[in-house]
Amino acid sequence: MLRLHCPFCNEVRDEEEFACAGEAFIARPPENVSDAVWGDYLFMRRNTKGWHWEQWQHSAGCRKVFAVKRHTASYEIAGSWTLAEAKPLFEKDIAEAAR
């Protein structure tokens, strides 16, 4: 079982109190895109083995959504942040991966 830190409540709680909301920071395509591009946005997700950014909702607590950086193979959690705090960290990870 995962133990997650809610950055809003500032508490570490069991996974049962949270709901996974999927991959974080997926860019919405502009209007008037093809059906294929829209379908990719709706259904295609990275299946990363390694560090992955996810959204979680504290469904049994404050009900707010936040970001978690988690390793998909070891389930190690690097941290949790509000979405606003995590966005620059996510962009830094993407830039480093592109090098």
Side-chain angles (χ1 to χ4, degrees):
M1 173 179 298
L2 296 175
R3 301 266 301 158
L4 297 169
H5 170 261
C6 176
F8 297 101
C9 299
N10 201 23
E11 295 180 1
V12 177
R13 310 293 292 182
D14 289 339
E15 178 184 2
E16 296 170 336
E17 287 193 16
F18 299 90
C20 185
E23 187 177 338
F25 307 116
I26 299 171
R28 184 182 178 108
E31 292 183 31
N32 302 323
V33 295
S34 68
D35 288 345
V37 171
W38 186 249
D40 283 349
Y41 167 71
L42 290 176
F43 302 112
M44 301 305 289
R45 298 294 179 256
R46 284 185 250 161
N47 189 13
T48 307
K49 182 176 182 181
W51 290 106
H52 182 68
W53 285 89
E54 300 173 330
Q55 295 181 109
W56 286 80
Q57 181 185 30
H58 193 178
S59 54
C62 65
R63 304 204 45 86
K64 295 189 177 177
V65 176
F66 57 95
V68 173
K69 185 177 179 182
R70 181 178 67 85
H71 196 282
T72 58
S74 68
Y75 296 100
E76 178 184 355
I77 295 176
S80 59
W81 303 268
T82 66
L83 293 173
E85 293 170 337
K87 182 73 172 183
L89 301 172
F90 168 76
E91 290 170 348
K92 182 181 173 187
D93 282 354
I94 295 297
E96 288 176 1
R99 287 188 216 159

